[in-house]
Amino acid sequence: MRIFINGEQHDVAPRTLAQALEELGYGGKKIATALNGRFVAAAARPATALADGDRLEVVAPMQGG
Amino acid sequence: MSFYGVELSSRLLLGTARYPSPKILAEAIEASQAEVVTVSLRREAAAERGGQSFWSFIRGLGGRVLPNTAGCHTVAEAVTTAHMARELFDTPWIKLEVIRDDETLQPDVFGLVEAARVLSEEGFEVFPYTTEDLGVADRLVEAGCRVLVPWGAPIGSARGLNNLYGLRALRAHFPEIPLVVDAGLGVPSHAAAAMELGYDAVLLNTAVAEAGDPVAMARAFALAIEAGRTAFAARPLEPRDMAAPSTPVLGRAALGN
C-alpha cells in the first residue's frame, strides 16, 4: 500500500495507523497525527484503517512565536 | 490579570523561536520572568529528534505553554492544527492564527472568526491573533473568545504600535476583555506604550530572540512592561497643545524695570 507521510511517498504493509507509525519508527515519540487533513487522536490510531493514497501528517513540538 | 480563569503575575508572554541556542532561550525566559511561552508544531520524520528534545526542554521549564497555529491559511488547517496542539501540549489554550497575506502576515479575519467559533464550541480557549478592527473584535467575542490578541505591527517588523488610535479605541470598547498586543514590537518603549494604553499584556518573540543580547533584551522588556503598567495605573496626563508652567507664577519676584 502506498501512502504519503508528510508529503513523501512510502510503501507500508500495515492496515492501521497505529501499526504504520510503529513500523515507521515513530513508536514512543511525542507526536500528533492528521489523516487526509483531519485530526486523529492517539487513542483512535489503533482503530483507524489506512487506505491506498492516504495523506498522513505527523507533527511534533517545535519552537514558535 | 487572568486568561480564561488562570491567574498570572507576569504581563510578558514570550515566544521560543529564533534564539541563538536553547541555553540562551532558557536564560531569556528566566530574565523575562514570563510565565507563558508560545510554542508550535511541525512535521517530524521518524529519525528526527528535534521535536522530542524541544518537548523535554519545555517540560523542564515548568511554565504554561500557548501553542499557535502559525502558518495556517484556512479554517480547516487551523482547526486541525489546534486539535493536534491540544493533544501534544495538553492544553485547551490556542493562539489562533489564520493568515491571509504572505507579505504582511495579516490575518484573514473572516477565517479567523469562523475558526474561533468552531474551536470555542469544541472547548478550546482561543487567543485570536487579529487586527485592531472593532467589528472583527466584536465578532470574535461573540464567537466565544475571552481574550483578544491584536497586532502592534506585522510579525517580525519591529515597527512598534502602527495604529495607536485603533488600539486605544479597542481598549475603550472592551474594558473587561484581556487584551494582549502581539507582534511587530521592536524595542522596550513599544511595549511600555502598549501597557500605558491599558493593555493587559504583551507577547514578544523576534525583538528578544534576534537582539544582539537576547537575555539583556528580555530583561529590558520586562522592566518596560512593568513601568508601562505602573504608569497606566497611575493615570497619566492628557497631552495638550500649549505650555502649562510647572513652577507657580504667583509670588514671583518682580525684577524687571
Side-chain angles (χ1 to χ4, degrees):
Chain A
M1 179 166 51
R2 188 160 293 176
I3 65 171
F4 294 88
I5 302 170
N6 290 344
E8 287 184 9
Q9 203 168 291
H10 288 259
D11 287 308
V12 293
R15 312 306 300 175
T16 73
L17 177 52
Q19 288 167 348
L21 291 170
E22 194 65 40
E23 182 191 286
L24 290 159
Y26 282 107
K29 290 188 76 175
K30 188 78 182 168
I31 53 162
T33 52
L35 191 60
N36 300 320
R38 289 182 167 271
F39 171 62
V40 181
R45 288 176 201 153
T48 302
L50 292 176
D52 202 45
D54 271 353
R55 291 174 298 109
L56 174 63
E57 294 290 323
V58 183
V59 299
M62 76 156 244
Q63 296 83 348
Chain B
M1 176 191 65
S2 74
F3 297 143
Y4 292 100
V6 174
E7 288 289 334
L8 297 166
S9 51
S10 169
R11 294 177 180 275
L12 195 166
L13 291 74
L14 195 62
T16 55
R18 295 175 173 267
Y19 290 81
S21 70
K23 180 173 178 289
I24 291 176
L25 166 59
E27 288 174 10
I29 293 169
E30 193 183 347
S32 74
Q33 299 180 326
E35 294 164 296
V36 176
V37 295
T38 58
V39 293
S40 194
L41 36 84
R42 281 296 180 275
R43 284 172 163 178
E44 184 157 281
E48 288 177 304
R49 284 284 167 267
Q52 311 309 303
S53 59
F54 181 64
W55 172 243
S56 305
F57 172 83
I58 288 298
R59 292 276 300 259
L61 292 175
R64 283 188 173 269
V65 296
L66 174 58
N68 69 28
T69 64
C72 290
H73 282 69
T74 67
V75 173
E77 281 175 353
V79 167
T80 298
T81 301
H83 277 282
M84 293 194 289
R86 178 161 70 177
E87 184 178 84
L88 266 186
F89 296 107
D90 194 24
T91 174
W93 284 10
I94 189 78
K95 184 162 81 92
L96 182 61
E97 300 181 28
V98 184
I99 299 301
R100 179 69 187 185
D101 180 64
D102 281 330
E103 295 297 322
T104 60
L105 298 178
Q106 182 150 354
D108 171 3
V109 294
F110 298 92
L112 180 70
V113 170
E114 174 63 11
R117 188 187 59 74
V118 170
L119 292 171
S120 296
E121 284 174 0
E122 293 179 4
F124 283 87
E125 295 173 345
V126 179
F127 295 61
Y129 174 62
T130 186
T131 68
E132 64 279 3
D133 187 285
L134 295 178
V136 171
D138 205 41
R139 296 276 184 183
L140 288 167
V141 172
E142 271 178 14
C145 298
R146 293 296 170 265
V147 176
L148 294 173
V149 185
W151 63 353
I155 296 169
S157 69
R159 298 181 60 86
L161 306 180
N162 257 355
N163 183 354
L164 210 54
Y165 164 78
L167 290 171
R168 186 180 288 126
L170 191 67
R171 177 72 285 176
H173 277 68
F174 297 96
E176 305 300 330
I177 300 274
L179 297 180
V180 183
V181 167
D182 174 19
L185 304 189
V187 289
S189 56
H190 295 155
M195 300 309 293
E196 287 165 9
L197 289 179
Y199 274 67
D200 294 279
V202 166
L203 201 163
L204 297 164
N205 189 344
T206 314
V208 170
E210 296 196 345
D213 183 344
V215 180
M217 192 58 84
R219 182 165 174 273
F221 267 102
L223 291 168
I225 287 165
E226 193 183 338
R229 180 66 191 182
T230 306
F232 169 71
R235 299 188 301 279
L237 285 182
E238 287 300 318
R240 49 184 290 163
D241 289 335
M242 296 298 157
S246 49
T247 303
V249 177
L250 192 69
R252 186 177 62 86
L255 302 173
N257 291 320

